[in-house]
Amino acid sequence: MCGSEVPASGCDVASEVREAKETHDDGFWMRRALEEAEAAFAEGEVPVGAVVVSGEGIIGQGHNRTEKTGRPFEHAELVALNDAVGGRDRWVLTESRLYVTIEPCVMCVGALLLARVPCVVFGAREPKTGACESVFALQNEPKLDHHMIVIGGVEADRCKELMQRFFESKRGGFGK
């Protein structure tokens, strides 16, 4: 796992498995992302939430806002990345990790690679658009300049249940 500490050089393959520091482990941060996903649900958005963590704290957070803004690129990951770089002098996030409740899509993986995020942790897989494991594994593409470690399945049941609950509410209970 990427654990709770990321060295200045980023998350490298040799240090994939780390001990979590105190209670601030992957599950802790994923639960913060789930809080963002719940906020999206309350706003009628597809309930995906994300947090960007650096050191011992959240430097960016967000949830889906595509319905609210009418913009297809207002995914939770991009909202959180924008929040993370908002007050900084640099757009490079080499000392951070992104936690997101659902496996990122191609657009979001591209943004994560461009922002040099070294480690992404997601909750539930996305079998139709997932670009980390399910459909593609873009973070491993040898032709790209940058790569990242991806860890999936953290709090997966809770993340999946929230998505199911959302879509069941939209169908009015049909199609169960």
Side-chain angles (χ1 to χ4, degrees):
M1 282 196 194
C2 234
S4 67
E5 289 186 64
V6 176
S9 63
C11 206
D12 62 347
V13 176
S15 62
E16 234 181 298
V17 178
R18 300 175 188 272
E19 249 181 77
K21 187 175 184 178
E22 297 173 16
T23 61
H24 293 75
D25 60 5
D26 290 339
F28 175 86
W29 297 117
M30 186 60 71
R31 289 186 292 279
R32 304 295 74 79
L34 274 160
E35 291 171 4
E36 285 291 327
E38 290 282 0
F41 188 111
E43 294 172 12
E45 297 280 354
V46 174
V48 180
V51 295
V52 179
V53 176
S54 183
E56 287 298 308
I58 294 173
I59 61 169
Q61 58 192 31
H63 55 270
N64 278 1
R65 299 187 322 192
T66 55
E67 298 299 324
K68 182 178 184 178
T69 64
R71 296 184 209 137
F73 43 81
E74 293 283 336
H75 288 197
E77 300 93 326
L78 300 185
V79 174
L81 287 174
N82 280 322
D83 189 36
V85 299
R88 301 166 62 99
D89 293 334
R90 295 187 48 151
W91 53 269
V92 177
L93 296 171
T94 55
E95 297 180 21
S96 65
R97 295 167 317 285
L98 180 119
Y99 292 83
V100 61
T101 56
I102 301 297
E103 181 181 0
C105 70
V106 171
M107 174 180 68
C108 293
V109 170
L112 290 160
L113 288 168
L114 289 172
R116 314 296 196 267
V117 174
C119 186
V120 173
V121 181
F122 71 84
R125 293 180 69 163
E126 173 40 82
K128 294 182 180 180
T129 62
C132 293
E133 292 179 355
S134 298
V135 179
F136 301 107
L138 293 179
Q139 75 280 0
N140 296 325
E141 174 53 51
K143 293 179 183 176
L144 296 176
D145 289 342
H146 307 287
H147 301 93
M148 62 188 172
I149 292 173
V150 174
I151 298 161
V154 176
E155 297 284 343
D157 291 341
R158 289 183 64 195
C159 296
K160 184 177 178 180
E161 183 275 328
L162 181 60
M163 290 290 277
Q164 289 172 333
R165 190 165 33 103
F166 175 79
F167 285 109
E168 286 172 3
S169 74
K170 292 296 181 189
R171 290 190 299 262
F174 296 105
K176 291 185 180 178

